[in-house]
Amino acid sequence: MATSTPGRSVEYESVSGDYLAVRQLRKGAAGWMLLAGLGVAYVISGDFAGWNFGLAHGGFGGLLIATVIMAVMYLCMVLSLAELSASLPTAGGGYSFARRALGPWGGYLTGMAILLEYALAPAAIAIFIGGYVNSLVGIDGWVVYLGSYLVFVGVHLWGAGEALKTMFVITVLAVLAIGVFVAGMLPHFDAANLFDIAVDEGAAGAGAFLPQGYLGVWAAFPFAIWFFLAVEGVPLAAEEAGNPARDMPRGIITAMLILLVFAGLVLVLAPGGAGAGFMADHGAPLVGALQAVYGEDSLAASFVNWVGLSGLIASFFSIIYAYSRQVFALSRAGYLPRALSVTNRRKVPVLALVVPGVFGFCLSLTGEGDLMITTAVFGATISYALMTLSHIVLRRTEPDLERPYRTPGGILTSGIAFVLAIVAFISTFLASVEAATWSAVFYLVMIGYFFFYSRHHLVANAPEEEFEAIALAEKELR
């Protein structure tokens, strides 16, 4: 039965008493260390591949400036999300924050932007995995992509606790590979190598530091984002955390600090040892940098190639977790088809894992990793703007909301992230008009789905909708 309030933009449907009983996640599966590991795992593939394409767009100087600016954006956003995730710990993450602050339209737009990011990022990573596997055993293409999805979606179907622990072990191996890379490249660093990209004399402000000029800094933003993309997914594990009020802030902030260190080391040492021009289009930049200074058959390069593959796997594996929880939460509340949120006896949302996986695999067949990056960043930056705006709105509209953790700097911090997110969003059109256009088409199609169908079939007793339902009931009683 549907219920609605005149003048409102959504309608709610009553559901059976066991609706939520078959849509439950496993409580207490993750403490703050696992959450920090999850945050690092989401992102660590960005250190192994993808970031280096920004060298072609902005040179070392352009990518360096873009990375510093994006690091500020992410740090400010993470501090804002630490507060929101401790106050509103649901599996919807950023979508649920925006739902509370900006209403059902704001929640849906945020959720779809996050879903666009998380559906596309694994496709890009699968392509990069293919590049690493090809350099090891000479196999690439659809076989590698399909195998990646089958194996790691399968592990997630096993159970959340098991999946998160497996992810943590894989992430530790990836961190070890970065440590070997750093130790191997430090003796060979030469600052002159950073500036070996040919200068575009026709670009405004062009020089050795900015070979593509000032505009190259902006065009490098999507690739600087790859150093940090998806760390904001930690709040998606809130319903499976042991103590969300304590664990969520500690986990996401710890992860961000680790990622800042990794980004700085990789960005400077890879082109500083092997040359920025050589790194600009390399499919496996860390391995390529070590091969350039030690030889193709060197022990260090082989080690980082084999063990470094775990970095790509860690991100691939963990973002599968993220997209499944985002789909689960949106489906449970009725924004997406409700069948997607049904969980099995191990408290795992099966269809929420499988359906986006099929979609991502099909996209990976394009082989366009840099295109997938820009498309994922398109969705990510929209969600960043809406999530940080939600922090600002909730600080003003709900000052008495229980906040176990409070963002240092308050709305100034989230305001900085909000402005930089908008700047980063515009940069996607500079990096690839094609990718941004296709992303916009997908986004508009999903907006149409909500406008014509799902906004009339929301579930009132879903966690993200209960607050609204209670407020409506109280209003009607007055």
Side-chain angles (χ1 to χ4, degrees), residues 301-370:
S302 298
F303 178 84
V304 171
N305 203 354
W306 279 104
V307 180
L309 185 60
S310 63
L312 295 171
I313 291 173
S315 291
F316 184 82
F317 188 61
S318 56
I319 296 176
I320 287 173
Y321 171 86
Y323 76 55
S324 70
R325 270 43 181 184
Q326 186 67 86
V327 170
F328 167 82
L330 288 164
S331 167
R332 181 176 60 182
Y335 290 90
L336 292 178
R338 297 176 190 174
L340 295 172
S341 55
V342 175
T343 52
N344 63 13
R345 61 184 181 83
R346 301 185 69 86
K347 307 299 184 185
V348 173
V350 176
L351 290 180
L353 282 163
V354 173
V355 173
V358 172
F359 177 71
F361 167 68
C362 292
L363 289 173
S364 71
L365 296 176
T366 65
E368 300 287 344
D370 54 343

Side-chain angles (χ1 to χ4, degrees), residues 200-473:
D200 181 356
E201 300 294 348
F209 187 70
L210 296 175
Q212 305 301 326
Y214 302 129
L215 201 59
V217 176
W218 205 357
F221 274 16
F223 306 98
I225 285 174
W226 204 241
F227 279 122
F228 313 108
L229 184 81
V231 67
E232 75 281 357
V234 174
L236 292 167
E239 288 187 29
E240 291 158 288
N243 183 346
R246 179 196 65 195
D247 295 341
M248 297 308 300
R250 292 175 69 182
I252 193 170
I253 292 172
T254 299
M256 186 63 206
L257 295 176
I258 293 171
L259 293 168
L260 287 170
V261 174
F262 288 171
L265 291 171
V266 169
L267 174 60
V268 172
L269 292 178
F278 180 65
M279 289 286 94
D281 62 354
H282 204 289
L286 302 197
V287 175
L290 288 167
Q291 289 175 336
V293 298
Y294 290 106
E296 294 213 358
D297 297 324
S298 67
L299 180 61
S302 298
F303 178 84
V304 171
N305 203 354
W306 279 104
V307 180
L309 185 60
S310 63
L312 295 171
I313 291 173
S315 291
F316 184 82
F317 188 61
S318 56
I319 296 176
I320 287 173
Y321 171 86
Y323 76 55
S324 70
R325 270 43 181 184
Q326 186 67 86
V327 170
F328 167 82
L330 288 164
S331 167
R332 181 176 60 182
Y335 290 90
L336 292 178
R338 297 176 190 174
L340 295 172
S341 55
V342 175
T343 52
N344 63 13
R345 61 184 181 83
R346 301 185 69 86
K347 307 299 184 185
V348 173
V350 176
L351 290 180
L353 282 163
V354 173
V355 173
V358 172
F359 177 71
F361 167 68
C362 292
L363 289 173
S364 71
L365 296 176
T366 65
E368 300 287 344
D370 54 343
L371 190 70
M372 295 298 106
I373 289 176
T374 306
T375 307
V377 169
F378 179 96
T381 50
I382 293 174
S383 73
Y384 298 166
L386 291 171
M387 287 190 292
T388 51
L389 178 61
S390 298
H391 180 270
I392 295 169
V393 169
L394 286 174
R395 274 293 187 98
R396 293 187 177 278
T397 60
E398 297 191 50
D400 297 326
L401 178 68
E402 183 179 355
R403 291 176 168 87
Y405 173 86
R406 296 183 69 88
T407 302
I411 62 173
L412 174 62
T413 300
S414 49
I416 292 171
F418 173 72
V419 172
L420 292 177
I422 294 174
V423 173
F425 168 72
I426 298 171
S427 75
T428 62
F429 290 88
L430 293 174
S432 173
V433 174
E434 180 186 2
T437 301
W438 279 111
S439 301
V441 168
F442 169 84
Y443 203 50
L444 288 173
V445 168
M446 295 311 297
I447 288 173
Y449 172 78
F450 182 65
F451 180 80
F452 290 107
Y453 180 77
S454 68
R455 72 187 179 98
H456 302 295
H457 302 277
L458 300 185
V459 177
N461 53 338
E464 295 83 4
E465 302 300 313
E466 283 183 335
F467 175 78
E468 180 74 6
I470 292 170
L472 279 173

